[in-house]
Amino acid sequence: MALPSTETSRHDNTLAVIRTLRDQGPVARVDLGALNGISSATVTSISTELLQQGLISERPPETPRPTGRGRPKTLIELNAQAACVVCIKLSINEIQLVVGDFTGQVRHSEHHTVSTLTLSADDLAVLLEEKIDAACDQLLGGFQRLAGICLAVQGVVSSQNGTIIWSPALSFRNARISARLTERFHCSVLLENDANCIASVLAAKPDYADCPNMVVIMLGYGIGMSVLINGVPYLGANGSAAEFGHSKYQPDGALCACGRRGCIEAYASDYALYRAAAEHLNLPAGDSAHPSEQQMQALTQLAMNGDPAAQRIYAEAGRALGIGIANILALFNPDLVLITGSGVRGFDAMQATMHHAIDEALVAELRGTTRIESCAWDRDMTCMGGIAMALNATDGETLLESQTAREA
Amino acid sequence: MALPSTETSRHDNTLAVIRTLRDQGPVARVDLGALNGISSATVTSISTELLQQGLISERPPETPRPTGRGRPKTLIELNAQAACVVCIKLSINEIQLVVGDFTGQVRHSEHHTVSTLTLSADDLAVLLEEKIDAACDQLLGGFQRLAGICLAVQGVVSSQNGTIIWSPALSFRNARISARLTERFHCSVLLENDANCIASVLAAKPDYADCPNMVVIMLGYGIGMSVLINGVPYLGANGSAAEFGHSKYQPDGALCACGRRGCIEAYASDYALYRAAAEHLNLPAGDSAHPSEQQMQALTQLAMNGDPAAQRIYAEAGRALGIGIANILALFNPDLVLITGSGVRGFDAMQATMHHAIDEALVAELRGTTRIESCAWDRDMTCMGGIAMALNATDGETLLESQTAREA
């Protein structure tokens, strides 16, 4: 049933207050009103209700400084224990599980090495259930409820249907995963492409505040992308938009992990770089189809130290990346292209040929004024984004649950 | 000054009534209410006001059929004379000027052959002013006012700034054209990419009603594109998005009219096809850099008749188009890719290699369920779209002017 419009507006204002407290930390009531364009009477009424529901608490005023005038303000802040959310990042041979509290802070993080490619869809669901269960057993004593789960997956997902369509980390396809976790944990489950989680973190940074149309390219084992249009991830008709790694550099070119030829990924991803290098260079042994961080750092170091073969490989990767980005500029004309991911370690060895390829490919009018920048990689960024998205998606439910609990 | 919310809603309802009458033709008051979710009291009040303003008129009920029961309904319809709009389509060596009435019907159309590439920005403005003036002199006796102008241009435009950034039809760049026409004709001036005008016509067709994310590719002298995301043209940061023709097929490949190499346009546009053919085939002479419709039809006919050289040229064009479309599928994952434009005359000779290239380039999960179709070309489609867009953009002003005129 739709709420009457005054209740909708009260609900929206309450969510705005919660989000402001999450973004800004402790805030005085008067500032909450000003930041959200809400009257002070409404802020007072909302904060009284949230206090009663246990979703916020008051922070006693600090002792006024000798020079301070007037009564110091009481700050209000989110109650970190009001709810927690879990984000699980699923990538090749690794699962990371992070628990975030109601303020969005990470309270727990664990990594597991798992042969993801040998899992069946059922194995994966059982594994995720076990890991979430274990984390909940350990942590839920401290939290009022598990509000939501975000599953951040490399590859193509349908967020709407909760289906992993295709991931380089998995050998099965079209697995309906969200419904099963929802049933098991009685909370909402978000299924997201990992690049969209990262883009949501980056888009919140003040440096990119004037970039509503932003493209984030993730270099790593594969190559991912997120396209934000007016700040919202563009998903396409079935969730398979923004597959930059499988756009083409050279028709009939190098073999890609997807099984086709000539994809950008077949030149500029970790496995492609290591594959090209393996023939010519003395590099750490291992599974060269899935090179480790140590192997990739050894290869990058060779290029940075001036080894001509390593330099040639990175130069070609930069050129492929440049042609791919030229297509992005021609088709999306974004405000910003931001290159990140673990593969950004080799960006210095790629960027000269990348910029050259872009300039060669496009006339100035199509090159436009798009900023093209790289951004240091933080392996926790995906889960940070997933936690923020899960909290955003579940604030409404948390509010409802707390109201119901209070009224009962 | 912002209107109070009740007035905003009255204004929106009035615009909805006008648009329904434009889309559906004459409609009874009761149906206008049902179609727009407006109470019959509001429809009565709105239609009384529109009648007084001269924007609509009543159509007397037809004689009831012998089997009809009850009183026949009075229909209301837009007053075609209430306003007119002008759309000018600017393409290489041709200007088309069309006048549409308030119902959206074309009342006048004229074509002019003009050496567009020899014009200065000032020449162009003077020429457009002359042509619009002449049309107004001839027609404005019949219309209450000129409500707006739409300039539909091949190439990159900034709709927001009213600037033609770059067009293959013009040798100058970055010309602020809208402000000058606004000043001269005292009406609002829309500047649009021609492909967006065409997409707006196609998106309104019932066949594509389930395709909110739609890509329209225009084959012709150049290759244009419009991307509708949830039905709205995606423009990018500076208006240069959707430049499909200059996305890449072969880095360092064939020379494009833009001056760079390897663009899709350098293989699949009219000039590229004719250039490739000129070396091998006996074709009508003329300016082969700007082949005429007759020259292109002769070339297409050769391919359709089985000439191996002509077939090879179209096959390669189809392959370039296919690789370009594969990138569109990977990046935009649209519901529909629709291929049209005058160059669709050669589509039968291209489509086998086009489909083959798409299937070779993308795995099934990325190929997705996107419909890829062609659509017969109608050279008047651009102006039809421009007229609809100009009317939509100016309905609010027409309403205001009519109110003011009545109150004065």
Side-chain angles (χ1 to χ4, degrees):
Chain A
M1 198 186 71
L3 293 171
S5 70
T6 51
E7 289 184 36
T8 311
S9 133
R10 166 75 171 208
H11 182 80
D12 290 349
N13 286 337
T14 308
L15 291 183
V17 163
I18 292 174
R19 275 156 206 174
T20 303
L21 293 172
R22 189 173 291 134
D23 290 346
Q24 315 254 335
V27 176
R29 283 180 177 80
V30 56
D31 299 325
L32 267 179
L35 285 164
N36 291 294
I38 312 176
S39 73
S40 58
T42 304
V43 172
T44 303
S45 156
I46 287 173
S47 59
T48 303
E49 199 168 336
L50 291 175
L51 272 169
Q52 286 168 341
Q53 290 166 12
L55 296 181
I56 62 170
S57 49
E58 287 186 330
R59 174 180 282 207
E62 286 166 21
T63 317
R65 294 189 208 119
T67 57
R69 275 183 289 183
R71 208 156 60 105
K73 294 172 189 166
T74 298
L75 303 182
I76 58 178
E77 62 189 347
L78 290 184
N79 174 8
Q81 271 67 46
C84 68
V85 291
V86 169
C87 176
I88 297 181
K89 174 184 159 192
L90 177 66
S91 41
I92 294 182
N93 296 335
E94 191 184 88
I95 283 176
Q96 181 182 7
L97 182 151
V98 168
V99 180
D101 66 25
F102 192 52
T103 72
Q105 294 304 299
V106 170
R107 297 289 283 266
H108 172 82
S109 175
E110 58 191 49
H111 290 84
H112 301 276
T113 302
V114 176
S115 299
T116 53
L117 284 160
T118 65
L119 298 175
S120 69
D122 199 57
D123 292 341
L124 176 68
V126 169
L127 179 71
L128 295 180
E129 286 172 3
E130 276 176 16
K131 298 297 177 203
I132 298 169
D133 255 337
C136 286
D137 282 350
Q138 197 183 333
L139 288 160
L140 263 185
F143 292 101
Q144 289 168 26
R145 58 190 292 265
L146 172 65
I149 297 167
C150 175
L151 195 54
V153 181
Q154 269 189 322
V156 180
V157 302
S158 167
S159 304
Q160 215 173 352
N161 301 330
T163 303
I164 301 176
I165 297 176
W166 176 56
S167 167
L170 301 167
S171 50
F172 56 85
R173 297 181 179 190
N174 298 312
R176 293 200 63 198
I177 187 81
S178 298
R180 182 157 169 178
L181 294 178
T182 302
E183 198 177 325
R184 175 73 184 72
F185 295 101
H186 310 289
C187 68
S188 72
V189 176
L190 272 188
L191 180 63
E192 290 290 340
N193 175 280
D194 59 347
N196 288 337
C197 294
I198 287 162
S200 82
V201 174
L202 293 171
K205 290 190 190 273
D207 278 1
Y208 312 129
D210 57 345
C211 300
N213 298 308
M214 174 170 164
V215 167
V216 177
I217 295 175
M218 300 249 303
L219 303 179
Y221 171 78
I223 295 189
M225 185 165 98
S226 174
V227 176
L228 301 185
I229 294 181
N230 287 323
V232 178
Y234 176 69
L235 304 175
N238 309 108
S240 72
E243 281 290 335
F244 175 70
H246 304 289
S247 68
K248 298 291 152 179
Y249 167 51
Q250 285 280 5
D252 299 325
L255 186 64
C256 182
C258 75
R260 306 304 194 185
R261 290 192 168 274
C263 304
I264 309 284
E265 183 173 299
Y267 295 85
S269 67
D270 285 357
Y271 74 78
L273 291 161
Y274 211 81
R275 175 179 66 190
E279 295 167 26
H280 308 291
L281 296 165
N282 184 21
L283 284 162
D287 177 5
S288 72
H290 295 99
S292 65
E293 182 58 32
Q294 183 209 354
Q295 286 175 305
M296 290 311 300
Q297 282 183 4
L299 175 56
T300 304
Q301 207 50 55
L302 279 175
M304 300 313 286
N305 292 346
D307 180 282
Q311 285 185 326
R312 265 198 309 279
I313 289 162
Y314 277 97
E316 180 71 2
R319 193 161 174 271
L321 199 55
I323 294 293
I325 291 173
N327 287 342
I328 295 298
L329 300 185
L331 296 170
F332 287 99
N333 178 217
D335 299 289
L336 170 71
V337 173
L338 201 51
I339 300 158
T340 188
S342 59
V344 85
R345 66 174 105 69
F347 187 66
D348 281 350
M350 292 191 262
Q351 65 170 318
T353 50
M354 180 197 84
H355 284 295
H356 184 73
I358 296 169
D359 292 341
E360 284 273 286
L362 293 180
V363 290
E365 287 76 10
L366 298 181
R367 166 67 183 77
T369 55
T370 305
R371 288 161 57 186
I372 302 176
E373 298 176 9
S374 68
C375 162
W377 174 236
D378 172 354
R379 73 193 295 227
D380 290 332
M381 216 177 343
T382 315
C383 286
M384 294 294 299
I387 281 176
M389 290 169 100
L391 283 167
N392 248 329
T394 57
D395 278 337
E397 277 168 51
T398 299
L399 210 55
L400 198 68
E401 292 271 334
S402 310
Q403 270 164 351
T404 313
R406 188 167 63 97
E407 285 160 17
Chain B
M1 199 185 67
L3 293 170
S5 70
T6 51
E7 288 183 36
T8 310
S9 136
R10 166 74 173 210
H11 182 79
D12 290 350
N13 286 338
T14 308
L15 291 182
V17 164
I18 292 174
R19 276 156 206 174
T20 303
L21 292 172
R22 190 172 291 136
D23 291 346
Q24 315 254 335
V27 176
R29 284 180 176 80
V30 57
D31 299 326
L32 269 180
L35 285 164
N36 291 294
I38 312 176
S39 72
S40 59
T42 304
V43 172
T44 303
S45 157
I46 287 174
S47 59
T48 303
E49 200 168 333
L50 291 176
L51 273 169
Q52 286 168 342
Q53 289 166 14
L55 296 180
I56 62 171
S57 49
E58 287 186 329
R59 172 179 284 208
E62 286 165 23
T63 317
R65 294 188 208 120
T67 57
R69 272 183 291 184
R71 206 156 60 108
K73 295 172 190 167
T74 298
L75 302 182
I76 58 178
E77 61 188 348
L78 290 184
N79 174 7
Q81 271 66 48
C84 68
V85 291
V86 169
C87 177
I88 297 180
K89 174 182 158 193
L90 177 65
S91 40
I92 294 183
N93 296 336
E94 190 183 89
I95 283 176
Q96 182 182 7
L97 183 150
V98 168
V99 180
D101 66 25
F102 192 54
T103 72
Q105 293 305 300
V106 170
R107 296 292 282 266
H108 171 83
S109 175
E110 58 191 48
H111 289 83
H112 301 276
T113 302
V114 175
S115 299
T116 53
L117 285 160
T118 65
L119 297 175
S120 69
D122 199 57
D123 292 341
L124 176 68
V126 169
L127 179 70
L128 295 181
E129 286 172 2
E130 277 176 17
K131 298 295 178 205
I132 299 170
D133 255 338
C136 286
D137 283 350
Q138 196 182 334
L139 289 160
L140 263 185
F143 292 101
Q144 288 167 28
R145 59 189 292 265
L146 173 65
I149 297 167
C150 175
L151 195 54
V153 180
Q154 267 189 325
V156 181
V157 302
S158 168
S159 305
Q160 216 172 351
N161 302 330
T163 303
I164 301 175
I165 297 176
W166 176 56
S167 168
L170 301 168
S171 50
F172 56 86
R173 297 182 179 190
N174 299 310
R176 294 201 62 197
I177 187 82
S178 298
R180 180 155 170 179
L181 294 178
T182 302
E183 198 176 326
R184 175 73 184 72
F185 295 101
H186 310 289
C187 68
S188 72
V189 176
L190 272 189
L191 180 62
E192 290 289 340
N193 174 279
D194 59 347
N196 288 337
C197 295
I198 287 162
S200 82
V201 174
L202 293 171
K205 290 190 190 270
D207 278 0
Y208 312 130
D210 57 345
C211 300
N213 299 308
M214 174 170 163
V215 167
V216 177
I217 294 175
M218 298 248 303
L219 303 179
Y221 170 78
I223 295 188
M225 185 167 96
S226 175
V227 176
L228 301 185
I229 295 181
N230 288 324
V232 179
Y234 176 69
L235 304 175
N238 310 108
S240 72
E243 281 291 335
F244 176 71
H246 303 289
S247 68
K248 298 291 152 177
Y249 167 51
Q250 285 280 6
D252 299 325
L255 185 64
C256 182
C258 75
R260 307 303 195 185
R261 290 192 169 273
C263 303
I264 308 284
E265 182 173 301
Y267 295 85
S269 67
D270 284 357
Y271 75 78
L273 290 161
Y274 211 79
R275 175 180 65 189
E279 295 167 25
H280 307 292
L281 296 166
N282 183 22
L283 285 162
D287 177 5
S288 72
H290 295 101
S292 65
E293 183 57 33
Q294 183 209 356
Q295 286 175 306
M296 290 311 301
Q297 282 183 4
L299 175 55
T300 304
Q301 208 49 56
L302 280 175
M304 301 312 286
N305 291 346
D307 180 282
Q311 285 185 325
R312 265 197 310 279
I313 290 162
Y314 277 96
E316 179 71 2
R319 193 160 175 271
L321 199 55
I323 294 293
I325 291 173
N327 287 341
I328 295 298
L329 300 185
L331 296 170
F332 286 100
N333 178 217
D335 298 290
L336 170 71
V337 173
L338 202 51
I339 300 158
T340 187
S342 59
V344 86
R345 68 175 103 69
F347 187 66
D348 281 348
M350 293 192 260
Q351 65 170 320
T353 51
M354 181 197 83
H355 285 294
H356 184 73
I358 296 169
D359 293 340
E360 284 272 287
L362 293 180
V363 291
E365 288 77 9
L366 298 181
R367 166 67 183 78
T369 54
T370 304
R371 288 161 57 185
I372 301 176
E373 298 178 8
S374 68
C375 162
W377 173 237
D378 172 354
R379 71 194 297 226
D380 290 331
M381 218 179 338
T382 315
C383 286
M384 292 296 298
I387 280 176
M389 291 170 101
L391 283 167
N392 248 329
T394 57
D395 278 337
E397 279 167 50
T398 300
L399 210 54
L400 198 69
E401 292 271 335
S402 310
Q403 270 163 348
T404 314
R406 187 168 63 98
E407 285 160 16

